[in-house]
Amino acid sequence: MRFGPAQVSLCGLVALVLCSPGFPAEHPGLLLTPEDVEFIRQYRQESPGFSRALEETRAELDDYFGTAPDVPAPVDPGGGYSHETHKKNGIAIHDAGMVYQLTGDETYARHAGRLLLAYADMYSALGNHPRSRSSNPGRLFWQNLNESVWLTYAIQGFDAIHDSLPPAERNEIVNRLLRPMADFLSEGSADTFDRIHNHGTWAVAAVGMTGYVLDDDDYVRKALHGLDGDGDSGFMRQIDLLFSPDGYYSEGPYYQRYAMMPFLLFARSIEANDPELDIFAYRDGILLKAIHACIDLSYAGLFFPLNDAIKDKGLDTVELRYGIAMAYALTGDSALASIAGLQNSQVLNGDGFRLARARDRGETLPFIHKSRLFRDGPEGKQGALAVLRAASTGNQQALLLKATSQGMGHGHFDKLGLLFYDNGREILTDYGAARFLNVEQKNGGRYLPENETWAKQTIAHNALVVDETSHFDGQLRVAEQHHPDMLFFDDAGGIEIASASMEGAYEGVSFQRTAALLSDFPTEHPLMIDVLEASGENPHQFDLPVHFNGQIVDTSHPLEPASSLHPLGEANGYQHLWLRASAEVPAGEKFAVTWLTGNRFYTYSVIARNDMQVFFTELGANDPQFNLRREQALVLRTRGESSGWFVSVVEPHGEYNGAEEYTLNSRGALDELRFVRETGADFLSLRTADGSQAILALSHDAGEAMTHEVELAGRPYRWNGNYALFQEAAPMSGVREECSADT
Amino acid sequence: MRFGPAQVSLCGLVALVLCSPGFPAEHPGLLLTPEDVEFIRQYRQESPGFSRALEETRAELDDYFGTAPDVPAPVDPGGGYSHETHKKNGIAIHDAGMVYQLTGDETYARHAGRLLLAYADMYSALGNHPRSRSSNPGRLFWQNLNESVWLTYAIQGFDAIHDSLPPAERNEIVNRLLRPMADFLSEGSADTFDRIHNHGTWAVAAVGMTGYVLDDDDYVRKALHGLDGDGDSGFMRQIDLLFSPDGYYSEGPYYQRYAMMPFLLFARSIEANDPELDIFAYRDGILLKAIHACIDLSYAGLFFPLNDAIKDKGLDTVELRYGIAMAYALTGDSALASIAGLQNSQVLNGDGFRLARARDRGETLPFIHKSRLFRDGPEGKQGALAVLRAASTGNQQALLLKATSQGMGHGHFDKLGLLFYDNGREILTDYGAARFLNVEQKNGGRYLPENETWAKQTIAHNALVVDETSHFDGQLRVAEQHHPDMLFFDDAGGIEIASASMEGAYEGVSFQRTAALLSDFPTEHPLMIDVLEASGENPHQFDLPVHFNGQIVDTSHPLEPASSLHPLGEANGYQHLWLRASAEVPAGEKFAVTWLTGNRFYTYSVIARNDMQVFFTELGANDPQFNLRREQALVLRTRGESSGWFVSVVEPHGEYNGAEEYTLNSRGALDELRFVRETGADFLSLRTADGSQAILALSHDAGEAMTHEVELAGRPYRWNGNYALFQEAAPMSGVREECSADT
C-alpha cells in the first residue's frame, strides 16, 4: 500500500519519488518521514527559527515530563480536569515523538512510550464516558470528536517512536489502545464516521492515519471511502461536498480554519503513503485552494468574522501553521513564506522546516491580495462571498458582500451584509460571535445567550432589516432553503464591483445590493460605494444598520439627543440597542457623519428614496451580565412605502497625528451624492467640491453582453454589460461624455 | 564671548575643549557646530539610520522648495493659512540650513537665504498682528509665543547658511528681520520676556540664540538674566523656578514635554558658546534631570496623561527627540539610546547623529524604570508625584499616586488620584483632556466644553469625591493655595509604597491614601493595593470612582440592571455618566469584579467601612456632540457617616488566548481581604484560597524612626517606621511571626 514518501527538492518544488509498492510501513510515515528527518539534519543550521522552536518545545516537554503526567479516569466534560489533561497528554505524545526524531534523544521516545502505555492500560476497559450525550458518545472524552482529535496527535507520536519501542510494549499499545480506539471511532461510531460533517472528517482522519501507521488497509479503505466502501461517505466524499469549487467552506472562515485541520493532516499522510492518489490535485486542487481561501478571507492577519466567529482568530493559528507550511512545501510559492511572517511559531515537521528555512533565508515574496469571488455550495451554486480589494498590498481596503448560503447552525441572518476595512482596521464592522472562548465565568466559555438574541440577528449586521424582524424570521430551517444569487462580479481595476439579489428572506420583499470600491476617482483613497434597493408589495419599515468603528467627529444634520436612554425596540436584537440620538432627513437629502478611526477620518454619506430617520445607537441594553462589547451603530430608517433604497459612500480621508500635532483634511472631498432610477438603469452620481464627477450606471437587466442606452437628464448614456463608470473633470451637473465602460 | 564648542569624544562621553575667548562667532554655532559637521562627515557610514533621515528631509525640502514658498501677509489666527504657512516656512529654513551643512549642497543654502530675504522684506513694516490679543501680541503671528518659536528655528537656519550668504544679503536679513524680531520679542514684549512661564522661556531662548549668532552680548545677557539684568527674570531664573528639584514640571508630563523645548535649545546653544557657564550642571544638573523625568513619566512610550493631556503624546515627539539626543551626547548613557528605539526619526544635528550612530552600532542598554518620587514645586515642597514600578523592564506594572500641586490652569481636580498600568496597557485609567487636537470640527481643535464639565472634575479621576462636588469646588484659585503632603515613599523592593494626605480639598474633610505594589506575595503578578481613608466632622457621601479599561467578566454580587439609562447626577461631571447597573454591599464585605484587558484578567476587590453601593457607569450622558470617548467606571459610594475608608486590591491574573484557544486562571488567587483600624496602626490582611497570607501594617504616626507595637486579635506586632509587611504561608486567620519589616 505505501508507495514511498513525498520528497521536496531543495528549491522547494515538489518532486515525487515513487518507490516500489509492498513494503511494510516505514516509520515515521505521516507528516514527518525519514527523508524529512535527514533533510532537516542536513540543513538545520540554515534555520535558526526552526531550531529555536524545537528547543522551546523540548524545554516545554522537559517541564511537562518533569513529573509523570497524570492519566486520570475520564469523568469531566469539556473544560474539566480530565478533559484538559487528556488533551495535553495527546499533544505531549505528539511533541515528544517529533523531538525524539529531530534530536535523536531517546529520553523523549521513552516519555511518549510510557504515556502511551498508561493509556493502553486504561483504554480497553473504558465504556462510554459518563458525561457523554447519546448522539456522539466518546470514551476518553465526553464526545467522540475530542477522541478523534486525540488520536490524530497520539498516532503521530506513536509513529515517531515506533522503531524505538520494545516489541512487547509496541504490541501492547497497538492492541490495547490504538486498535480499540480506531475500531471505536469507525465501526463503533458509525453515525459520526460516515457523516459528511467536520466531526466525520476528524474521525476518518484519525482512523486513516492509524491505518497507515499500523499498515492496515482496512482502516485506510474505510477512512477514504466510508464504512461500507461505496464512496457515499468517507474522506473523498467529504472533500467533494464540504468545500465549494473555490475552496470556501459554508460556515465561514472561522469554522473553515477549524474544519481544515483533519483534511490537512490526513491528506498529507495520504500523500506520503498513497502518492498515486495525488490527493492534493484531487478536485482541481481543492485542498490547496481551501488553504489559499483562508488567506484571502483575512485582513491584517485576522479572519473576516462572518457567522459565529471569535475575532482573535486568524493566520497565526495552529491550523494555518500546518496549512501554510504544507502549501509552501507542496508549491514552493514564496508569497506563502511571507504570510508565515504573521505566525509566531512553526510546526515541527518537514513542511514546517522547509517554510522556516525559506523565511530565514529571506526567500519570501509579498502576498498580493486580489479581489475574489468565493462561490458557495458544493457545486458553487448557492450564492457567493465577494471580497473586493482596492490595492494589492499593505493596509489596503477590503469590502465584503456576503451573499452566501446560511452556513448551518453557526450561520447569521445577514443576507447581503457588508463589511469594510481600511488602513489596517475594521471600519464597517461585524460583531462576530457573542462568546468568550473558554472563559468559564461567561457561560462556561460556550456561546452566550446574546449570541442568539443579538449576534445572529439581522440588526447586528450591516444588512437590511424589514419591519424589525430578522431574515427568515430567524428560522434556521427556512434560511437553509434559500440563498442569494450573485448578479455580477468584476475586478477589472479602477472599480471593483459585486452585485447580488435576495428573495425569500422576507415574505413579499426582495432586495438587491451592489457594492464597489472606486479607485478611479480623484479622492485621497478609494471610495466605498453601497447601493441597496428593496421592493415589496405593501408598505414596510426598512432599516439599514451601519455598525461603525470610530469616534464621531461631525454630522451634517443637527442631532436630537436622548436625555435618558431606552432600547430601540423590543425583540430581534433591537432590545440590545440604546438610542442615543436621532436626526430627520428628507427624501433624497444627503446625510453625512464623519468619524475618526485610528489616525484616519471616514465620512459616511447616505441618501434614501424616502424620508429617513437616522438613529445613533449603542450596544448594551438588556445585557445584565455585560456580555456584549460596547459598540455602536447608526440605524437608517424609512417607513410607509413598499419600496426603498439607501445609497451610501464611505470616503476615507486625512490624517490625525496627535504626537506630531497636525491634522490633515478632516472634512473629505465628496460633496454631492445623487441617485436616479431610470427605465433600464440606476445612476449614482458623485461629485467633489472641486468639481470632479463620476457617474456609476447599474443596468437593470443583468448580463455581460447586453447593450444599454438610457437617457438621463436629456443626455444619452450607452454601455455594454452590467455597469459602466462615466467620468468627467468639469464641475457640471449634467454629463458630457462616456469615458469608460466596463464588462 | 564664545569659548568654543563642546566636543563629544568618540566613546560618547563629554570632553570639553576650551578655546581662547574673544573670537567672533563661528558658524554654525548653536545645536550644530563645525566640529559636529566634521564628525558626522567622518563617521556617517556608521549610521544608516541618520543617513536615511537626512535623505528624507532632503526629499521633503526638494518638494517644499519645488515652487517658491508663499510668504503671506499675516492675517490668520492659529490654525489659519498664514499661521500654518509661516510655521512651515520657519521649519523649512531650519531644515534647509541643516541639510546644507551636512551635505555641502549650496542649493539648500540658497533656498533658506531666499526665504529669509522674503521675510526681511516683509517683517520690518509689520505692526501688531490684526488678530492679536492685547496681552501678548505678535507681528508675524497672532501671539508672540509663535513668533519666538519661529525665531528659534529661523536663527538656526540662518546660522547654518551664514558663511554662504553674500554680505549684503546677510546684512539685510540681520537688520531687517533678525534684529527687529529679537528687539520686538525682548524690549518690545517685556511682559512676556520677563515672565516666569513657558512663553517667557521661548522668548529668552529665541533672543539668546539670536544673540550668539549675531555675536551680540546684549541679547545674550538679557536672555540669561532678564531685561534689566538683575536676575529676577531671564533663563537662569526660569530654570530655578519652573522645575522642581527632581526635574518635575508642575503642569504634568504633557506640558513638561512642550515646556522643555526652549530650555533644551537654548541650553545646548549656551553650552556651545559659553561653556564656562556649565549650564547642564547648573542647579545640580536640573536640565538633564528634567529629560530623565520625561522618560520616567511615561509608560509603553506614552506620557502619563495627568491634567490636560492628549494621550497620543509620548517619547516619540520632537521635543524628546531633541532631549534624548542631547542627554545621550552629554552623558553617553547607553540606556538613553534604547529609549530612542521608541522614536521614528532623529534630529539632524551633532547630538542626533551621535545617538543614531550608537543605535546603529548596537551600543544600547535596556532602560531600567525604577520607582521614583517627583517632588513638586521649585523647592520640592508642594506635594509630589509617586511613580511605583514593580519590575524593571518590559511590560511592567506602574502605579501613580498623584499628590502634586494643582499645576496651574491645565491642572485637574484629582488630589491623591491613582493610575495603574500593567502588561503594556492602562488598567485604572485617566481620561486626560477632552480635546481633539487640531480637528477643526471639534471646537476648532481647542479644548472642548467637556474638558471643564468632565475631564477636569474629580469624578473623572480615580480620586475621592465628597458630596458630589469636585475638590476645591472646582475653583482654580482656591486649589492653587493648597497641596497634598507626602507622608512616606519607599522603593525597597518586595513592596513599593507611597502615602500622602490632603487637607483643604473639602471643608471639614481630610483624606489620605496609601498606594502600593506588592510583589512579595505568591500571586502570579504583583498586587496593586489602595488604602483610602477620609475623615470629617459631619455625615458625608463618599464616592470613589474606579475608571477601568476592560470587558466585565464577572462580579461577586448580583447586579441590578437599569432598564433605561439616566445620568448618575446633575453636575460636577456626574451629569455625563449613565448608570447601567448597581449592587448593594454590606459594610466590610468584599465586592469583586473581574474584567479582561487584552489577554489578561484583572480582579478588583474592595471593602468599605460602611454599607456600600456600587454603580456601574458609562460615559456619554449630556454629550450631544459625541465629544466624549465611550469609557466606563465603577463608582463606589458610602453615605451618612462622617468618616470612611475604601480598601482595594487589583490582582492581574491568567491569560486569555483566543487564537490558541486557551484560557488560564480566569478567577485569580486572592480570596480574603480584611482591614482593621487599631490604635496606632491600620492592618490590611490579604489571603489567597490556598492559604498564603500577608498583613500590611500602616503606622498612624508617620516617621521613619518610630517604633510601633500594636496588638491585633490578641497578638503583638512590632515594627519600626511607617509600615511593615508581615507574611506567613500557613492558612491561618491569625499571624504567627514577623517575617519582614521595612523602613
Side-chain angles (χ1 to χ4, degrees):
Chain A
M1 180 183 66
R2 169 172 296 182
F3 299 90
Q7 266 205 343
V8 177
S9 70
L10 297 194
C11 68
L13 296 171
V14 180
L16 294 178
V17 180
L18 298 179
C19 304
S20 14
F23 285 116
E26 188 184 38
H27 300 282
L30 297 174
L31 280 83
L32 184 73
T33 65
E35 292 73 15
D36 289 332
V37 172
E38 180 57 34
F39 184 78
I40 294 170
R41 202 160 288 169
Q42 192 172 350
Y43 294 103
R44 180 162 153 196
Q45 79 288 353
E46 295 186 7
S47 179
F50 187 85
S51 298
R52 201 161 45 239
L54 178 57
E55 286 313 312
E56 282 168 12
T57 302
R58 185 178 184 144
E60 285 164 16
L61 288 170
D62 291 345
D63 191 43
Y64 196 80
F65 288 101
T67 53
D70 192 14
V71 180
V75 291
D76 300 317
Y81 173 75
S82 70
H83 181 96
E84 294 299 323
T85 303
H86 292 314
K87 271 170 66 179
K88 283 185 215 158
N89 284 344
I91 292 168
I93 290 166
H94 168 273
D95 288 356
M98 297 303 120
V99 170
Y100 163 62
Q101 282 290 334
L102 296 175
T103 65
D105 186 338
E106 295 194 353
T107 311
Y108 300 96
R110 282 197 297 274
H111 284 324
R114 270 202 295 270
L115 196 45
L116 282 163
L117 283 167
Y119 276 97
D121 253 7
M122 179 172 73
Y123 192 78
S124 50
L126 292 178
N128 277 1
H129 191 285
R131 301 297 287 267
S132 63
R133 305 177 199 158
S134 56
S135 65
N136 57 355
R139 290 181 169 175
L140 195 55
F141 294 93
W142 65 328
Q143 52 180 356
N144 57 33
L145 168 66
N146 302 99
E147 203 134 327
S148 298
V149 175
W150 191 89
L151 184 54
T152 61
Y153 280 103
I155 193 64
Q156 290 184 70
F158 172 78
D159 182 36
I161 67 167
H162 179 280
D163 294 351
S164 79
L165 284 167
E169 294 186 2
R170 191 189 304 157
N171 290 336
E172 169 98 359
I173 294 167
V174 169
N175 296 324
R176 299 187 64 206
L177 174 64
L178 300 176
R179 286 194 175 277
M181 193 179 273
D183 291 340
F184 168 67
L185 291 174
S186 51
E187 298 289 351
S189 308
D191 282 355
T192 300
F193 191 85
D194 274 352
R195 195 172 160 210
I196 304 299
H197 179 277
N198 175 249
H199 290 202
T201 318
W202 277 104
V204 302
V207 171
M209 290 165 76
T210 303
Y212 283 127
V213 172
L214 304 189
D215 207 16
D216 184 322
D217 276 357
D218 188 51
Y219 284 147
V220 173
R221 186 185 45 73
K222 287 174 177 166
L224 290 175
H225 306 297
L227 288 178
D228 67 6
D230 68 359
D232 283 347
S233 55
F235 192 65
M236 306 309 282
R237 191 69 181 148
Q238 305 215 12
I239 297 180
D240 289 339
L241 294 180
L242 286 178
F243 295 100
S244 85
D246 299 315
Y248 182 78
Y249 181 77
S250 68
E251 290 185 292
Y254 175 81
Y255 277 99
Q256 170 150 1
R257 161 202 61 79
Y258 184 68
M260 292 291 294
M261 190 72 168
F263 280 105
L264 297 173
L265 296 178
F266 191 27
R268 199 67 175 115
S269 302
I270 292 170
E271 182 74 13
N273 289 276
D274 280 329
E276 81 290 354
L277 287 180
D278 206 0
I279 190 74
F280 285 102
Y282 183 73
R283 211 186 152 203
D284 203 18
I286 191 70
L287 292 175
L288 289 171
K289 283 183 183 174
I291 296 172
H292 271 87
C294 286
I295 300 172
D296 273 326
L297 293 171
S298 71
Y299 186 86
L302 296 177
F303 293 124
F304 296 127
L306 306 178
N307 298 327
D308 282 346
I310 305 292
K311 295 177 94 167
D312 314 83
K313 292 278 191 186
L315 302 180
D316 186 24
T317 43
V318 62
E319 297 87 356
L320 270 294
R321 288 198 286 273
Y322 274 95
I324 300 217
M326 208 170 281
Y328 174 77
L330 290 165
T331 66
D333 178 353
S334 300
L336 293 170
S338 78
I339 289 290
L342 299 167
Q343 300 176 335
N344 286 317
S345 68
Q346 38 257 308
V347 287
L348 294 180
N349 58 31
D351 295 342
F353 177 74
R354 287 178 178 86
L355 180 62
R357 177 168 170 260
R359 293 205 58 234
D360 286 341
R361 286 159 53 121
E363 296 167 359
T364 64
L365 288 174
F367 188 95
I368 310 292
H369 283 290
K370 294 179 180 160
S371 292
R372 291 197 57 186
L373 183 70
F374 293 95
R375 290 167 293 166
D376 195 5
E379 296 173 22
K381 294 179 177 171
Q382 296 174 23
L385 175 67
V387 182
L388 306 175
R389 307 257 191 182
S392 57
T393 55
N395 288 332
Q396 62 183 359
Q397 295 185 336
L399 174 61
L400 273 68
L401 176 59
K402 184 175 184 258
T404 59
S405 70
Q406 184 64 18
M408 304 190 262
H410 290 300
H412 287 194
F413 299 96
D414 60 345
K415 298 299 144 195
L416 309 194
L418 283 191
L419 284 80
F420 180 53
Y421 293 79
D422 181 62
N423 197 26
R425 296 173 186 263
E426 297 176 277
I427 305 303
L428 301 186
T429 66
D430 191 291
Y431 191 87
R435 183 184 188 187
F436 293 88
L437 194 67
N438 294 332
V439 177
E440 206 182 312
Q441 296 102 315
K442 289 292 194 191
N443 198 29
R446 295 182 295 278
Y447 286 100
L448 294 162
E450 290 77 10
N451 197 55
E452 297 296 324
T453 61
W454 168 253
K456 281 188 174 177
Q457 301 293 330
T458 308
I459 189 70
H461 303 82
N462 303 306
L464 180 73
V465 188
V466 178
D467 297 332
E468 285 185 47
T469 59
S470 285
H471 297 168
F472 314 106
D473 211 16
Q475 303 295 310
L476 175 61
R477 290 196 184 169
V478 182
E480 286 186 324
Q481 291 158 24
H482 298 79
H483 60 77
D485 290 305
M486 280 306 295
L487 299 176
F488 63 89
F489 171 84
D490 194 7
D491 58 353
I495 185 166
E496 316 278 312
I497 189 165
S499 186
S501 66
M502 183 70 215
E503 290 191 22
Y506 293 105
E507 211 177 299
V509 178
S510 63
F511 52 98
Q512 79 176 58
R513 195 166 200 172
T514 304
L517 291 175
L518 176 61
S519 43
D520 200 1
F521 193 65
T523 44
E524 206 177 335
H525 304 281
L527 299 179
M528 188 215 98
I529 293 172
D530 172 26
V531 178
L532 174 63
E533 301 172 84
S535 63
E537 285 151 21
N538 303 307
H540 292 285
Q541 173 180 303
F542 297 112
D543 281 358
L544 178 59
V546 181
H547 297 268
F548 68 100
N549 169 32
Q551 172 83 33
I552 292 171
V553 168
D554 202 11
T555 57
S556 59
H557 289 61
L559 303 183
E560 185 66 41
S563 58
S564 61
L565 300 193
H566 301 274
L568 184 64
E570 293 184 355
N572 304 320
Y574 283 73
Q575 73 277 21
H576 290 301
L577 290 172
W578 297 116
L579 173 58
R580 277 227 18 202
S582 56
E584 304 285 335
V585 183
E589 190 169 307
K590 186 184 79 171
F591 176 80
V593 51
T594 298
W595 66 77
L596 179 63
T597 312
N599 65 346
R600 191 171 287 176
F601 297 92
Y602 296 85
T603 295
Y604 177 86
S605 302
V606 59
I607 51 177
R609 176 180 182 276
N610 310 317
D611 289 347
M612 177 169 62
Q613 288 175 291
V614 180
F615 299 111
F616 286 71
T617 69
E618 285 186 9
L619 192 54
N622 287 293
D623 176 23
Q625 307 294 319
F626 293 87
N627 282 343
L628 294 170
R629 299 191 305 269
R630 290 173 301 129
E631 306 200 340
Q632 59 191 341
L634 305 177
V635 177
L636 313 174
R637 174 171 295 174
T638 70
R639 286 204 282 201
E641 304 279 346
S642 61
S643 66
W645 44 253
F646 298 94
V647 173
S648 49
V649 173
V650 179
E651 179 189 359
H653 56 90
E655 182 183 356
Y656 172 78
N657 190 322
E660 301 295 337
E661 292 200 11
Y662 64 82
T663 295
L664 304 173
N665 189 18
S666 65
R667 291 193 189 272
L670 186 69
D671 185 31
E672 194 183 273
L673 180 61
R674 289 188 187 174
F675 187 71
V676 181
R677 300 208 68 176
E678 290 285 344
T679 309
D682 297 348
F683 292 87
L684 168 64
S685 158
L686 305 168
R687 199 157 69 184
T688 63
D690 67 1
S692 297
Q693 185 171 2
I695 287 184
L696 177 62
L698 301 170
S699 319
H700 286 169
D701 296 318
E704 305 212 348
M706 300 267 300
T707 299
H708 301 271
E709 177 165 345
V710 180
E711 201 163 284
L712 173 66
R715 297 165 188 271
Y717 289 79
R718 290 180 202 89
W719 70 95
N720 295 324
N722 294 306
Y723 75 96
L725 183 67
F726 301 89
Q727 290 184 309
E728 59 180 24
M732 297 183 53
S733 61
V735 171
R736 281 186 309 183
E737 55 178 322
E738 179 174 333
C739 296
S740 76
D742 266 310
T743 314
Chain B
M1 180 185 69
R2 170 171 293 180
F3 298 91
Q7 269 205 343
V8 176
S9 70
L10 296 194
C11 68
L13 296 171
V14 180
L16 295 178
V17 179
L18 298 180
C19 305
S20 13
F23 286 116
E26 186 183 37
H27 302 281
L30 297 174
L31 279 82
L32 184 74
T33 65
E35 291 75 15
D36 289 332
V37 173
E38 179 58 35
F39 183 78
I40 293 171
R41 203 159 288 169
Q42 191 172 352
Y43 294 103
R44 183 164 150 194
Q45 78 288 353
E46 294 187 7
S47 179
F50 188 84
S51 297
R52 201 160 45 238
L54 178 57
E55 287 313 312
E56 282 169 11
T57 303
R58 184 179 185 144
E60 285 165 15
L61 289 171
D62 291 347
D63 190 44
Y64 195 79
F65 287 101
T67 52
D70 191 15
V71 181
V75 292
D76 301 317
Y81 173 75
S82 70
H83 180 97
E84 294 299 323
T85 304
H86 292 313
K87 272 171 65 181
K88 283 185 214 157
N89 285 344
I91 291 169
I93 291 166
H94 168 273
D95 288 356
M98 296 303 120
V99 170
Y100 163 62
Q101 281 290 333
L102 296 175
T103 65
D105 186 338
E106 295 194 353
T107 311
Y108 301 95
R110 282 196 297 273
H111 285 325
R114 271 200 295 270
L115 196 46
L116 283 163
L117 284 167
Y119 276 97
D121 252 8
M122 179 172 74
Y123 192 79
S124 49
L126 292 177
N128 277 0
H129 190 284
R131 302 295 289 266
S132 62
R133 304 177 199 157
S134 57
S135 66
N136 56 356
R139 292 182 168 174
L140 195 54
F141 293 94
W142 65 327
Q143 52 180 355
N144 57 32
L145 168 65
N146 302 100
E147 204 134 329
S148 298
V149 174
W150 191 90
L151 184 53
T152 61
Y153 281 102
I155 193 65
Q156 290 184 69
F158 172 79
D159 183 35
I161 67 166
H162 179 279
D163 295 350
S164 80
L165 284 167
E169 294 186 3
R170 191 191 301 156
N171 289 337
E172 170 97 0
I173 294 167
V174 168
N175 295 324
R176 299 186 65 205
L177 174 65
L178 300 176
R179 284 194 178 277
M181 194 179 272
D183 290 341
F184 168 67
L185 291 173
S186 52
E187 298 290 347
S189 308
D191 282 357
T192 300
F193 191 86
D194 274 352
R195 196 171 158 209
I196 304 298
H197 179 275
N198 176 248
H199 290 201
T201 317
W202 278 105
V204 301
V207 171
M209 290 163 76
T210 303
Y212 283 127
V213 172
L214 304 188
D215 205 17
D216 184 323
D217 276 359
D218 189 50
Y219 285 147
V220 173
R221 186 186 44 73
K222 286 173 178 167
L224 290 174
H225 305 297
L227 289 177
D228 68 4
D230 67 359
D232 282 347
S233 55
F235 192 65
M236 306 308 284
R237 190 66 181 154
Q238 303 216 12
I239 297 180
D240 289 340
L241 294 180
L242 285 177
F243 296 101
S244 85
D246 298 314
Y248 181 78
Y249 181 76
S250 68
E251 290 185 291
Y254 175 81
Y255 277 98
Q256 171 150 1
R257 160 202 61 81
Y258 185 68
M260 292 290 294
M261 190 72 166
F263 280 106
L264 297 173
L265 296 178
F266 191 28
R268 198 67 175 118
S269 303
I270 294 169
E271 182 75 13
N273 289 277
D274 281 328
E276 81 288 354
L277 285 181
D278 206 0
I279 190 74
F280 285 102
Y282 183 74
R283 211 187 149 200
D284 204 17
I286 192 70
L287 291 175
L288 289 171
K289 283 184 183 174
I291 296 172
H292 271 87
C294 285
I295 300 172
D296 274 326
L297 292 171
S298 72
Y299 185 85
L302 297 177
F303 293 125
F304 296 127
L306 306 177
N307 299 326
D308 282 346
I310 305 290
K311 294 176 95 167
D312 313 84
K313 292 276 192 186
L315 302 180
D316 186 23
T317 44
V318 62
E319 297 88 354
L320 269 295
R321 289 198 285 273
Y322 274 95
I324 297 200
M326 209 170 280
Y328 173 76
L330 290 165
T331 66
D333 179 353
S334 301
L336 294 171
S338 77
I339 290 289
L342 299 168
Q343 300 177 334
N344 287 316
S345 69
Q346 37 257 306
V347 288
L348 294 181
N349 59 30
D351 294 342
F353 177 75
R354 288 179 178 85
L355 179 62
R357 177 168 169 258
R359 292 204 57 232
D360 286 341
R361 287 161 51 123
E363 295 167 1
T364 63
L365 288 173
F367 188 95
I368 310 291
H369 283 290
K370 294 180 179 160
S371 292
R372 291 197 57 187
L373 183 69
F374 293 95
R375 290 168 293 167
D376 194 6
E379 295 173 22
K381 293 179 177 169
Q382 296 175 24
L385 174 67
V387 181
L388 306 175
R389 308 258 191 181
S392 57
T393 55
N395 288 332
Q396 62 182 358
Q397 295 185 336
L399 174 62
L400 274 66
L401 176 59
K402 185 174 184 260
T404 59
S405 69
Q406 184 64 18
M408 304 189 265
H410 290 299
H412 287 194
F413 298 97
D414 59 346
K415 299 299 143 194
L416 311 194
L418 283 191
L419 285 81
F420 180 52
Y421 294 77
D422 181 62
N423 197 27
R425 295 175 187 261
E426 297 176 276
I427 305 303
L428 301 186
T429 68
D430 191 291
Y431 191 86
R435 183 183 188 187
F436 293 88
L437 194 67
N438 294 331
V439 178
E440 206 182 312
Q441 296 102 314
K442 289 293 194 192
N443 198 29
R446 295 181 295 277
Y447 286 100
L448 294 162
E450 290 77 9
N451 197 55
E452 297 296 323
T453 62
W454 169 252
K456 282 187 175 178
Q457 300 294 332
T458 308
I459 189 70
H461 302 82
N462 303 307
L464 181 72
V465 188
V466 178
D467 298 332
E468 286 186 46
T469 60
S470 286
H471 297 167
F472 314 107
D473 210 15
Q475 302 295 311
L476 175 61
R477 291 195 184 170
V478 182
E480 287 187 323
Q481 292 158 22
H482 297 81
H483 59 77
D485 290 305
M486 282 304 297
L487 299 176
F488 63 89
F489 171 86
D490 195 7
D491 58 354
I495 184 166
E496 316 279 311
I497 189 166
S499 186
S501 66
M502 184 69 213
E503 291 192 20
Y506 294 105
E507 211 177 298
V509 178
S510 63
F511 53 99
Q512 79 176 57
R513 195 165 199 172
T514 303
L517 291 175
L518 176 60
S519 44
D520 200 3
F521 193 63
T523 43
E524 208 178 332
H525 303 282
L527 298 179
M528 189 215 96
I529 293 172
D530 172 26
V531 177
L532 174 63
E533 302 172 83
S535 64
E537 285 151 19
N538 303 307
H540 293 285
Q541 173 180 303
F542 297 112
D543 282 358
L544 178 59
V546 181
H547 298 268
F548 67 102
N549 170 31
Q551 173 83 35
I552 292 172
V553 169
D554 201 12
T555 57
S556 60
H557 289 61
L559 303 184
E560 185 66 40
S563 57
S564 61
L565 301 194
H566 300 273
L568 184 64
E570 294 183 355
N572 305 319
Y574 284 73
Q575 72 276 23
H576 290 300
L577 290 173
W578 296 118
L579 174 56
R580 276 223 24 197
S582 56
E584 305 283 336
V585 184
E589 190 169 306
K590 186 184 76 168
F591 175 81
V593 52
T594 298
W595 65 78
L596 179 63
T597 311
N599 65 348
R600 192 171 287 174
F601 297 92
Y602 296 85
T603 295
Y604 177 86
S605 302
V606 59
I607 50 176
R609 176 181 182 274
N610 310 317
D611 289 347
M612 176 169 59
Q613 288 175 291
V614 179
F615 299 110
F616 286 72
T617 69
E618 286 185 9
L619 193 54
N622 288 293
D623 176 24
Q625 307 294 319
F626 293 88
N627 281 343
L628 294 170
R629 299 192 304 268
R630 289 173 301 130
E631 306 200 339
Q632 60 191 340
L634 304 177
V635 177
L636 314 173
R637 174 171 294 174
T638 70
R639 287 205 283 200
E641 303 280 345
S642 61
S643 66
W645 45 254
F646 297 95
V647 173
S648 50
V649 173
V650 178
E651 180 189 359
H653 55 90
E655 182 182 356
Y656 172 78
N657 190 323
E660 301 294 337
E661 290 200 10
Y662 64 81
T663 295
L664 304 173
N665 190 18
S666 65
R667 291 192 187 274
L670 186 68
D671 184 33
E672 193 182 274
L673 180 63
R674 290 188 186 175
F675 187 71
V676 180
R677 301 208 67 175
E678 290 285 343
T679 309
D682 296 348
F683 291 87
L684 168 64
S685 158
L686 305 169
R687 199 158 67 182
T688 64
D690 68 0
S692 296
Q693 184 170 3
I695 286 183
L696 177 63
L698 301 170
S699 318
H700 286 169
D701 297 318
E704 305 213 348
M706 299 268 301
T707 300
H708 301 272
E709 177 164 347
V710 180
E711 202 163 285
L712 172 67
R715 294 165 189 273
Y717 289 79
R718 289 181 203 87
W719 70 94
N720 294 324
N722 294 306
Y723 75 96
L725 182 67
F726 302 88
Q727 292 183 309
E728 59 181 21
M732 296 184 53
S733 60
V735 172
R736 282 188 308 188
E737 56 178 320
E738 179 173 337
C739 297
S740 76
D742 267 309
T743 314

